[in-house]
Amino acid sequence: METRFVVSTLTALLCMGAISASACQLHANGFGSFAAYHSNIMERDLAAMADNYPSVTLARRTAVKVGTENSRSVRIHVPLSYTNVTLSVTGGDGIELLSSSDLSLSAVSKDYDLVFTTLSPGTHKITVNLNATYEGSAFSTEHTMIVEAG
């Protein structure tokens, strides 16, 4: 009876190992010729999921000349399912914002021109916050651009 239990347990463990090895092969280039279909589906699904969330695309770094007017594009994407959408832009010390710094938005996919002047040489920051509501839950994303003024 005890030997039968040990053999059953070992068989079950081996089967579980084989099943999990097959599941792992579904990723990357495993599982033979079917892997290409699986990974393409995953990429498509991930791209579709990304389209379901608000996003802000902003340069991470930029170099400018002190005292000159500068403009950088901020790409904003907000799906229809989000409400109470606001965009706020703040500049650190040494930055003067010339464009609107507080915007109320609806579902959009557009570019916002961020216009600013640096008042002193050095490293400065501009922060863009996007806040929204989805089915009663708050959503927020923050992006910072480093401005090197010389």
Side-chain angles (χ1 to χ4, degrees):
M1 176 83 169
E2 190 174 313
T3 305
R4 199 167 161 193
F5 176 75
V6 171
V7 169
S8 297
T9 304
L10 288 175
T11 304
L13 287 173
L14 287 173
C15 288
M16 286 174 55
I19 290 169
S20 51
S22 294
C24 290
Q25 288 178 354
L26 292 175
H27 300 280
N29 293 322
F31 205 59
S33 61
F34 296 106
Y37 301 109
H38 179 70
S39 65
N40 288 343
I41 290 171
M42 286 178 57
E43 290 170 10
R44 183 189 70 217
D45 290 346
L46 290 174
M49 284 174 52
D51 287 340
N52 293 329
Y53 294 100
S55 64
V56 173
T57 305
L58 170 71
R60 292 182 184 201
R61 296 183 90 69
T62 189
V64 299
K65 187 175 178 183
V66 175
T68 61
E69 185 175 301
N70 301 282
S71 178
R72 298 296 181 269
S73 181
V74 179
R75 181 80 178 146
I76 304 163
H77 170 72
V78 181
L80 291 170
S81 53
Y82 286 80
T83 59
N84 303 323
V85 183
T86 60
L87 182 77
S88 62
V89 182
T90 55
D93 292 339
I95 296 282
E96 180 183 0
L97 296 174
L98 303 174
S99 56
S100 229
S101 59
D102 290 308
L103 300 169
S104 227
L105 307 170
S106 57
V108 295
S109 189
K110 67 177 198 170
D111 291 331
Y112 161 75
D113 287 325
L114 173 60
V115 184
F116 63 95
T117 299
T118 53
L119 304 174
S120 60
T123 302
H124 309 284
K125 291 182 182 180
I126 296 176
T127 304
V128 176
N129 288 298
L130 180 77
N131 297 301
T133 304
Y134 176 75
E135 295 181 355
S137 297
F139 175 89
S140 180
T141 184
E142 179 179 283
H143 298 271
T144 300
M145 179 172 64
I146 305 297
V147 179
E148 297 288 342

